[in-house]
């Protein structure tokens, strides 16, 4: 059953996403868009970034001359998106039931946002809304984490995180291949007082070096021992893994054609190391 709720769960940590994953993910995602989508578009094409988050990717696309709308369910994420991409339009709505008919030459959804859609019926509802929002011949490109890849990487270990002078966070993904369900947990520590000891501040600066990731994650795993007075909170985000065949079938049933799948490196054989990029098209005279 398709619900009428709006997905708002990123409201609580939009401030953190805006400083951390937002800039990092948009820098990663512009490359597949440049290889898989943008060459097929005219210079003044109109794009929708579905589940646009804090809008850094929207801004990348605006800078390339496109006219871009961002849609997200989280009001707090969109508050940052307005600041990051002041020339863009933004729509506060749910991906499962938005209505912007015949407007866009292309719709993108990146950083595995659609894994947050927890049932295939809801995902089909998203595909239907996308189909309606596209102009004839319009393109839809999105990436998903898939079961083989999640089984390999989502093993309940810390995979990314950061320590700053005022806060620290770590991301722990978990996946159960028996029912394709998963979640990722964000563990957050926030300083309550002015600052830690100077030596410790220096250590945190050193630990922010990119090549010290393993050591940083080790410290983060026991961060409560390091900073017992920092406020500790945890947030859980449920996701679902969808096999490639299920997605292909749902896209075809919606009416999409020219369905193709590849990795970020353009490999048509999706393996367990990479997410899957699906690209498809609304046909001419699509109903
Ligand atoms: C992992 S973030 C990705 C954000 C952005 N695409 C990026 O690459 O940084 C997932 C985003 O999807 C949004 N989202 C998840 N489910 C949604 C839904 N059903 N409707 C609208 N937005 C949704 C969340 O609010 C969040 O901003």
């Amino acid at each position: 059953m398709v619900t009428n709720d709006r997905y708002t769960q990123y409201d609580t940590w939009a401030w953190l996403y805006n400083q951390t994953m937002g800039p990092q993910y948009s820098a990663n995602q512009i490359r597949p868009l440049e290889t898989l989508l943008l060459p097929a578009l005219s210079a003044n094409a109109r794009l929708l970034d579905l589940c646009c988050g804090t809008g850094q990717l929207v801004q990348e696309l605006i800078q390339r001359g496109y006219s871009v709308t961002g849609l997200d369910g989280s009001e707090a994420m969109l508050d940052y998106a307005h600041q990051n991409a002041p020339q863009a339009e933004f729509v506060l709505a749910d991906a499962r039931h938005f209505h912007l008919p015949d407007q866009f030459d292309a719709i993108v959804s990146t950083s595995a946002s659609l894994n947050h859609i927890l049932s295939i019926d809801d995902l089909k509802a998203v595909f239907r809304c996308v189909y309606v929002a596209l102009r004839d011949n319009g393109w839809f490109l999105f990436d998903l984490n898939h079961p083989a890849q999640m089984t390999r990487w989502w093993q309940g270990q810390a995979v990314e995180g950061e320590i700053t002078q005022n806060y620290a966070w770590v991301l722990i993904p978990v996946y159960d291949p028996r029912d394709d369900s998963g979640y990722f947990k964000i563990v957050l520590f926030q300083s309550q007082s002015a600052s830690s000891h100077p030596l410790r501040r220096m250590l945190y600066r050193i630990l922010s070096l990119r090549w010290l990731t393993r050591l940083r994650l080790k410290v983060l795993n026991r961060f409560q021992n390091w900073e017992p007075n920092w406020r500790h909170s945890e947030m859980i985000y449920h996701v679902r893994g969808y096999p490639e065949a299920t997605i292909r079938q749902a896209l075809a049933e919606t009416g999409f054609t020219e369905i193709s799948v590849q990795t970020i490196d353009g490999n048509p054989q999706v393996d367990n190391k990479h997410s899957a990029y699906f690209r498809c098209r609304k046909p001419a005279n699509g109903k």
Side-chain angles (χ1 to χ4, degrees):
M1 196 187 82
V2 176
T3 68
N4 284 319
D5 307 339
R6 177 161 54 79
Y7 185 91
T8 60
Q9 291 175 30
Y10 275 57
D11 281 350
T12 45
W13 67 305
W15 66 272
L16 179 64
Y17 194 96
N18 183 49
Q19 297 176 37
T20 54
M21 296 173 199
Q24 190 197 324
Y25 289 0
S26 72
N28 293 343
Q29 293 294 344
I30 194 68
R31 184 164 66 91
L33 263 58
E34 279 176 336
T35 51
L36 300 176
L37 179 69
L38 302 186
L41 303 181
S42 64
N44 58 353
R46 220 172 145 202
L47 272 72
L48 174 68
D49 183 352
L50 185 66
C51 304
C52 66
T54 43
Q56 283 91 351
L57 186 67
V58 170
Q59 180 61 7
E60 290 282 345
L61 293 166
I62 295 255
Q63 280 167 354
R64 283 160 179 75
Y66 300 105
S67 150
V68 191
T69 300
L71 181 150
D72 203 278
S74 159
E75 198 168 1
M77 295 292 266
L78 287 190
D79 284 345
Y80 289 105
H82 277 289
Q83 293 169 31
N84 293 325
Q87 289 161 276
E89 271 182 39
F90 289 99
V91 177
L92 178 65
D94 196 282
R96 293 164 293 180
H97 36 79
F98 67 97
H99 190 62
L100 300 168
D102 300 323
Q103 295 194 12
F104 300 103
D105 301 297
I107 297 181
V108 299
S109 188
T110 61
S111 306
S113 296
L114 295 183
N115 285 99
H116 294 72
I117 307 292
L118 297 180
S119 75
I120 188 65
D121 284 347
D122 276 0
L123 195 57
K124 284 181 185 171
V126 174
F127 291 169
R128 186 69 206 157
C129 295
V130 167
Y131 190 88
V132 169
L134 282 170
R135 293 178 175 150
D136 286 356
N137 292 317
W139 293 98
F140 180 31
L141 176 73
F142 60 99
D143 64 281
L144 282 178
N145 293 323
H146 57 86
Q149 172 213 9
M150 293 166 92
T151 304
R152 176 180 176 134
W153 298 116
W154 291 49
Q155 299 215 353
Q157 309 289 331
V159 292
E160 55 180 302
E162 192 186 4
I163 307 172
T164 75
Q165 303 305 316
N166 308 315
Y167 64 84
W169 63 275
V170 62
L171 184 148
I172 302 168
V174 177
Y175 181 66
D176 185 346
R178 287 169 302 184
D179 62 0
D180 288 334
S181 70
Y183 65 88
F184 62 91
K185 183 161 74 174
I186 305 287
V187 184
L188 177 63
F189 303 91
Q190 288 169 283
S191 161
Q192 300 301 295
S193 56
S195 56
S196 332
H197 189 276
L199 270 180
R200 206 162 269 195
R201 288 212 305 269
M202 193 164 77
L203 174 71
Y204 295 162
R205 255 196 297 277
I206 294 170
L207 282 174
S208 70
L209 292 171
R210 213 181 142 71
W211 53 277
L212 288 179
T213 299
R214 279 178 70 170
L215 184 59
R216 182 168 61 251
L217 293 178
K218 262 192 175 162
V219 171
L220 278 166
N221 275 331
R222 297 175 165 274
F223 200 71
Q224 228 166 352
N225 299 343
W226 285 68
E227 297 286 3
N229 296 325
W230 286 26
R231 194 172 71 221
H232 172 199
S233 56
E234 296 189 357
M235 292 159 286
I236 291 206
Y237 295 89
H238 292 279
V239 297
R240 178 158 297 276
Y242 293 99
E244 179 182 330
T246 306
I247 298 297
R248 278 182 178 274
Q249 188 184 343
L251 289 169
E253 282 172 10
T254 308
F256 285 107
T257 57
E258 300 182 46
I259 301 165
S260 65
V261 189
Q262 50 197 292
T263 65
I264 193 167
D265 302 321
N267 186 344
Q269 200 61 51
V270 173
D271 56 29
N272 66 1
K273 294 191 188 131
H274 297 90
S275 57
Y277 284 78
F278 290 84
R279 193 179 70 161
C280 56
R281 199 169 198 189
K282 178 173 177 174
N285 305 316
K287 293 273 182 304

